[in-house]
Amino acid sequence: MDLVFRDARVIDGTGAASYVADVGLAGGRVGEIRRKDGGRRLTARRVVDAEGLALAPGFIDMHAHSDLALLRDPSHEAKAAQGVTLEVLGQDGLSYAPVDDRTLAQVRAQIAGWNGDGSDVEFDWRSVGEYLDRLDRGIAVNAAYLVPQGTVRMLALGWEDRPATAAELARMKELVAEGLAQGAVGLSSGLTYTPGMYASDAELTELCRVVAAYDGYYCPHHRSYGAGALRAYEEMVALTEQARCALHLAHATMNFPENEGRAPELLALLDAALAAGADISLDSYPYLPGSTTLVAMLPSWATEGGPDATLARLRDDATAARIRQVMEVDGADGSHGVPVDWSVIEVAGVRERSLAAHVGRRIADFATARRLLLEDRLATTILQHVGHEENVRAIMRHRVHTGGSDGILRGDKPHPRAYGTFPEYLGRYVRELGVLPLEECVAHLTGRPAARLRLPDRGLVREGYRADLVLFDPATVAAGSTYDRPRTLPTGIPYVLIDGRFVIEDARRTDVLAGRSVRRTEVRRSEARGTAGRRTARG
């Protein structure tokens, strides 16, 4: 063996009871597991005393916004220090491939609040495959990618709020198929974000048929997490049932006053669909507030045409008055159909330094929000304090639940989930509150998401599997990040490995860049033939 962890408490990712063993690594994989029974011990060139530490598969972040962070920040401690060894990118229907020059400029402006404007990144790709190739040059942690439906719509027909023509729909299906063939694991949507939200259910169903043909999954940020949230969940279940496509519900929450205590209704809906044979999973983060961009809260008609058109409407007093009426009285589709309560919206980050005094403050009124949007050129990020603890706990207990940080890494005061999601699960919700048993929680964060991603050799501590591993102390693991100090690293996670190489060693980040793309291999090119073999993963 190259390395042995001696007397580790193995939590294998299946949910089964843990056990004490020597775990030996060789050639970047788990070479042998020998349970402690008084017999011969494993030997290796290096032995690490792991007594008192839990050894688990590396955590899989099913909802990450590190699309540019992985390229600009070789350290990427926000995730590596948490024990994350794989992130799923391309979320919420908006990312940077596939694009042309026009679309790339537009999407960079639209999601600058999530990822920065990209001025510090060389955009030397246009296709999904080229983006994944860029990741393969070496990154901090592994990454999988979802084809972003909003970007695809932007590329095929622009920012218009109208049904796609037959030719445009065919082009979108072609782009989705190309992305899947090049290695994407599925399709994402942001159905409260433009232009993806302009798609009808019929259009989305046709795209999901392509995803199903490639054995991928559909990951929607659905049309509402507030008023009409249950109807929005029902819509996604029915849509994917018709398309015969696997469904993974992104940041599955029940937020805003309308939904307090209503998580059991959502779970009953999912249980009924699962009992009928649906293939459904979901992710959530263990916090109450949500986080997004301020511009996302505008009504969809106010953002039709792209960022420049949005700014022009905000500059016009009469149009701004219409926007205010919809947001504060009617309930805009961009803000989940709920009239905006400015007192629960906190500024998390700005691009323009002249606006830095607003960070950490609640937005007083629409006039303040309008000024921020105009002066910050739509790049302002926010926290929304609208969650409910009983809903968060109920959802994380569900048998198809997985962990996803939804972490936005930009801004002076980002949501602490970006740096703390996984130790928060283990420290607060397992050790302190007892909401989940430790072995079950680890399965939610490892084996279960690996199964959703169809990964044949990741997500479990098992002989022959890749040595993507995390060792943590169950007695001390905790999120260091708080709302006041969101970039504080966690404690109690001394070792993280990818392919058997230390990414975190003795609780310090090494200079190892062992991460690569994790992609699906292409099997077929024509949806029309109606055949879809099982895909395997590589990378």
Side-chain angles (χ1 to χ4, degrees), residues 101-112 154 158-159 194-195 198 295 298 300-316 319 323 351 373-379:
D101 291 349
R102 170 189 60 83
T103 305
L104 176 59
Q106 291 174 331
V107 78
R108 284 175 62 180
Q110 185 180 14
I111 56 175
M154 201 185 306
W159 289 74
T194 55
Y198 299 144
V295 67
L298 300 179
S300 58
W301 59 262
T303 57
E304 184 179 5
D308 289 342
T310 304
L311 290 168
R313 293 186 183 100
L314 286 166
R315 291 187 191 101
D316 180 76
T319 306
I323 293 171
R351 173 166 50 188
L373 288 165
L374 287 170
E375 295 186 14
D376 208 27
R377 304 191 314 280
L378 311 182

Side-chain angles (χ1 to χ4, degrees), residues 59 61 77-84 284-287 403-409 414-429 441 445 477-483 485-491 493:
F59 304 136
D61 189 342
E77 282 187 296
K79 297 301 178 65
Q82 292 186 61
V84 171
S284 74
Y285 46 82
Y287 297 90
S405 71
D406 196 14
I408 295 174
L409 300 168
H415 197 303
R417 67 193 185 193
Y419 284 73
T421 287
F422 295 88
E424 182 78 354
Y425 270 119
L426 299 169
R428 175 169 168 75
Y429 284 91
C441 184
L445 308 180
V477 62
S481 59
T482 65
Y483 292 100
R485 300 182 64 187
R487 288 193 171 87
T488 306
L489 296 178
T491 57
I493 305 178

Side-chain angles (χ1 to χ4, degrees), residues 143-337:
Y145 190 74
L146 296 164
V147 179
Q149 171 258 331
T151 303
V152 165
R153 199 173 207 269
M154 201 185 306
L155 184 56
L157 65 101
W159 289 74
E160 298 177 46
D161 183 1
R162 62 170 175 81
T165 66
E168 289 164 343
L169 179 57
R171 177 58 176 150
M172 284 190 280
K173 292 170 69 175
E174 180 182 41
L175 289 167
V176 171
E178 287 175 355
L180 291 162
Q182 291 165 6
V185 295
L187 176 75
S188 77
S189 284
L191 300 179
T192 62
Y193 300 128
T194 55
M197 69 190 303
Y198 299 144
S200 66
D201 283 3
E203 180 180 312
L204 295 171
T205 299
E206 286 301 303
L207 298 183
C208 283
R209 293 188 199 280
V210 178
V211 176
Y214 281 84
D215 201 22
Y217 68 93
Y218 180 45
C219 180
H221 165 129
H222 51 273
R223 297 192 193 275
S224 176
Y225 291 82
L230 282 174
R231 289 194 301 274
Y233 281 113
E234 290 169 355
E235 175 191 13
M236 296 297 101
V237 171
L239 186 156
T240 49
E241 180 182 44
Q242 184 175 0
R244 298 185 180 275
C245 181
L247 173 64
H248 180 85
L249 295 165
H251 37 56
T253 58
M254 293 288 288
N255 287 339
F256 300 94
E258 290 85 341
N259 293 313
E260 184 173 3
R262 299 188 68 189
E265 297 177 58
L266 166 61
L267 301 180
L269 165 67
L270 300 183
D271 284 338
L274 290 163
D279 182 0
I280 299 175
S281 56
L282 58 87
D283 66 65
S284 74
Y285 46 82
Y287 297 90
L288 301 189
S291 181
T292 187
T293 55
L294 182 57
V295 67
M297 301 186 66
L298 300 179
S300 58
W301 59 262
T303 57
E304 184 179 5
D308 289 342
T310 304
L311 290 168
R313 293 186 183 100
L314 286 166
R315 291 187 191 101
D316 180 76
D317 290 342
T319 306
R322 288 180 58 206
I323 293 171
R324 178 178 181 175
Q325 166 70 26
V326 173
M327 293 185 72
E328 295 186 344
V329 179
D330 304 333
D333 47 6
S335 50
H336 307 280

Side-chain angles (χ1 to χ4, degrees), residues 14 60 80 90 111 134 136 152 166 195 208 225 258-259 294 358 363 400 420 439 446 514 533:
T14 67
I60 297 176
I111 56 175
R134 174 70 182 274
D136 282 340
V152 165
C208 283
Y225 291 82
E258 290 85 341
N259 293 313
L294 182 57
H358 290 272
I363 295 178
V400 300
E439 289 87 349
T446 61

Side-chain angles (χ1 to χ4, degrees), residues 16 61 66 106 119 272 279 317 330 341 356 420 442 447 455 468 471 485:
D61 189 342
S66 303
Q106 291 174 331
S119 58
D279 182 0
D317 290 342
D330 304 333
D341 176 1
V442 168
L455 303 180
D468 294 356
L471 284 92
R485 300 182 64 187

